[in-house]
Amino acid sequence: MVKGLFITFEGPEGAGKTSVIQKLAAELTEQEYPILLTREPGGIAIAEQIRHVILDCDNTEMDARTEALLYAAARRQHLVERVIPALKENKIVLCDRFIDSSLAYQGYARGIGVEDVLSINEFATEKMLPSLTIYFDIEPEAGLKRIAANNNREINRLDQEKLDFHYKVKEGYDLVKEKYGERIRVVDASMDFESVCNQAREVLISYFSKHGF
Ligand SMILES: Nc1ncnc2c1ncn2[C@@H]1O[C@H](COP(=O)(O)OP(=O)(O)OP(=O)(O)O)[C@@H](O)[C@H]1O
Ligand SMILES: Cc1cn([C@H]2C[C@H](O)[C@@H](COP(=O)(O)O)O2)c(=O)[nH]c1=O
């Protein structure tokens, strides 16, 4: 039986998801919450290899459906190998991106269709969804500026898409928020780092206490 909490973090490029989750995961672990921090695509060896194929290839001509299938394949392996076993051990799994990224990026921004991308992902996940998603809300240009200002961050194939694409990603997320509003909480990610951490921490702690943690 699956017992823990499965919580995901979503948003456009450079919204601050990774930085905020890393800080909060360290704090919450210190406070003895049973946290597992992981990411998509990746988190385990096979999925990290798939990440490399999707994001680090020189081939800018990767077919949109191939891309969608690769994300779904990485998701499947990560779910069965890492997420589900941790949930069975009653852990709180914090995952940097999940299915909503596929719906926004591949389904909407690439133009494959949100319903088609949902359907291959339902096959991959056997319809498993997170119970809570924290959405980092920021204008695409502001997020991209943050990435450009950080010389240490790798720039991947999707970061390099035109600004238009990133605006479509945001529109895709708007559809996702309409469709799954009951599990999605929005934080204002345009604020300074400490304020964004405070907003996300508040959502998490109140969710944990409502769910027996
Ligand atoms: N609130 C903030 N204000 C200013 N800069 C920030 C803020 N949060 C994060 N940053 C910086 O912005 C950059 C992008 O942050 P981060 O990698 O955490 O974003 P992300 O949402 O995980 O991006 P991506 O999904 O594209 O990997 C980093 O250089 C980080 O230090
Ligand atoms: C899970 C997932 C991710 N993406 C995109 C979003 C980002 O451009 C990269 C992941 O890089 P990050 O630095 O770890 O955020 O992949 C996507 O298009 N579809 C997905 O399902």
Side-chain angles (χ1 to χ4, degrees):
M1 199 184 79
V2 173
K3 297 180 288 183
L5 298 177
F6 183 30
I7 300 173
T8 60
F9 298 81
E10 294 282 354
E13 311 292 337
K17 299 176 294 300
T18 309
S19 320
V20 169
I21 314 166
Q22 280 175 353
K23 179 180 159 68
L24 295 185
E27 259 182 33
L28 295 165
T29 303
E30 184 78 29
Q31 293 161 23
E32 301 198 345
Y33 287 101
I35 301 289
L36 173 78
L37 174 61
T38 189
R39 71 163 180 181
E40 277 206 0
I44 42 126
I46 292 173
E48 288 291 340
Q49 285 178 39
I50 298 174
R51 178 186 177 95
H52 175 68
V53 172
I54 303 171
L55 293 176
D56 302 337
C57 63
D58 292 335
N59 176 14
T60 52
E61 301 296 315
M62 183 181 282
D63 174 74
R65 284 170 188 255
T66 305
E67 187 181 276
L69 289 163
L70 286 170
Y71 278 114
R75 179 159 301 132
R76 169 75 191 168
Q77 189 66 29
H78 178 241
L79 204 59
V80 296
E81 197 178 324
R82 187 143 210 226
V83 176
I84 292 173
L87 293 175
K88 283 184 178 158
E89 289 169 13
N90 209 21
K91 295 222 164 100
I92 299 171
V93 177
L94 305 180
C95 188
D96 193 344
R97 298 190 180 276
F98 189 64
I99 192 169
D100 299 333
S101 288
S102 284
L103 302 180
Y105 282 77
Q106 283 67 52
Y108 191 81
R110 289 277 189 237
I112 299 174
V114 171
E115 289 307 317
D116 280 353
V117 171
L118 178 61
S119 125
I120 59 164
N121 275 281
E122 285 183 342
F123 172 73
T125 62
E126 297 174 72
K127 301 197 177 175
M128 185 169 160
L129 285 171
S131 56
L132 172 70
T133 297
I134 301 186
Y135 179 76
F136 282 56
D137 192 23
I138 193 167
E139 284 304 303
E141 263 167 312
L144 293 170
K145 258 191 205 156
R146 287 180 181 172
I147 289 176
N150 182 348
N151 296 327
N152 298 320
R153 188 190 181 283
E154 61 172 48
I155 303 288
N156 68 46
R157 189 168 61 83
L158 271 80
D159 295 332
Q160 288 167 18
E161 286 286 344
K162 296 196 176 77
L163 190 56
D164 240 29
F165 176 82
H166 295 290
Y167 271 96
K168 281 199 182 140
V169 168
K170 190 163 162 62
E171 282 172 30
Y173 272 127
D174 289 342
L175 292 179
V176 167
K177 281 187 272 170
E178 268 172 39
K179 190 174 171 72
Y180 296 112
E182 75 292 345
R183 75 164 154 85
I184 301 182
R185 297 289 306 274
V186 178
V187 298
D188 179 357
S190 69
M191 296 174 80
D192 65 89
F193 182 67
E194 280 310 320
S195 308
V196 184
C197 287
N198 291 342
Q199 295 173 66
R201 185 189 298 107
E202 207 176 302
V203 173
L204 287 173
I205 300 278
S206 110
Y207 192 76
F208 295 168
S209 71
K210 277 189 200 135
H211 291 83
F213 282 91

